[in-house]
Amino acid sequence: MLLFTAWGLVPVAQAVDIAPLVGYRFGGNLTVNGSGTTSGTTTENESRLNLGDTTSYGLILDFDLDPQRQIEVYLSHQNTQLTASQPYLGYSQFDLAVDYYHIGGLYFPDFPEGGGRFRPFVSGTFGLTHMDPKGTGLSTENFFSLALGGGATYFPVKHVGLRFDARIIFTAVNTDSAIFCSGGCVVSVSSEGFTQTEIGASVVFHF
């Protein structure tokens, strides 16, 4: 829906870059307070929830607006584990999938006249963070998120190139509710959100 809305506000894109992404995502932690009951197990006091550092996979689509600007669609998936400093909802650790569904823009500063093979860029996107825990009594969560990044593309030939970039992603979390709790919990999240960093590389196909 975000893509179609943005598409109606800009001129028809001149070309598109398709970039399958392989990256490494790290960072991310939350602090929770209170008590919760799941499957007869009760947790008390404060617990720090830490996301594991793992490989990520995804897809980046960039639609040309002019020689210096593109609309960017960023989709990224990570299979990781969430580890709790104190048992949380009956778990000390559980598997977790973290997905980002973003739309935004990419800007190439000082674009050389007539084009160039090496092009540094900055980017900004926003959208949805979808978190899917694997465990009995745990529920999925969706939060708003923002990302800022930068990197460069290199095209040794006209239609195939390489892209290297890094981005910092902040996910805003509702601080007055439980997280991953399917019901019967008395837990509050004391963090305003969490931040992950992703470093990635892609082969870019330009059409």
Side-chain angles (χ1 to χ4, degrees), residues 30 51 82 96-99 129-133 139-143 171 173 179-180 194:
L30 289 166
L51 295 173
L82 188 146
L96 177 69
V98 182
D99 298 313
T129 300
H130 178 72
M131 307 179 75
D132 184 12
S139 64
T140 61
E141 299 284 356
N142 295 298
F143 301 108
T171 298
V173 177
I179 184 172
F180 306 130
F194 65 91

Side-chain angles (χ1 to χ4, degrees), residues 100-124:
Y100 292 111
Y101 305 101
H102 278 204
I103 188 170
L106 185 146
Y107 176 72
F108 296 98
D110 299 323
F111 182 73
E113 186 67 27
R117 292 185 176 184
F118 179 81
R119 304 176 66 190
F121 64 80
V122 293
S123 65

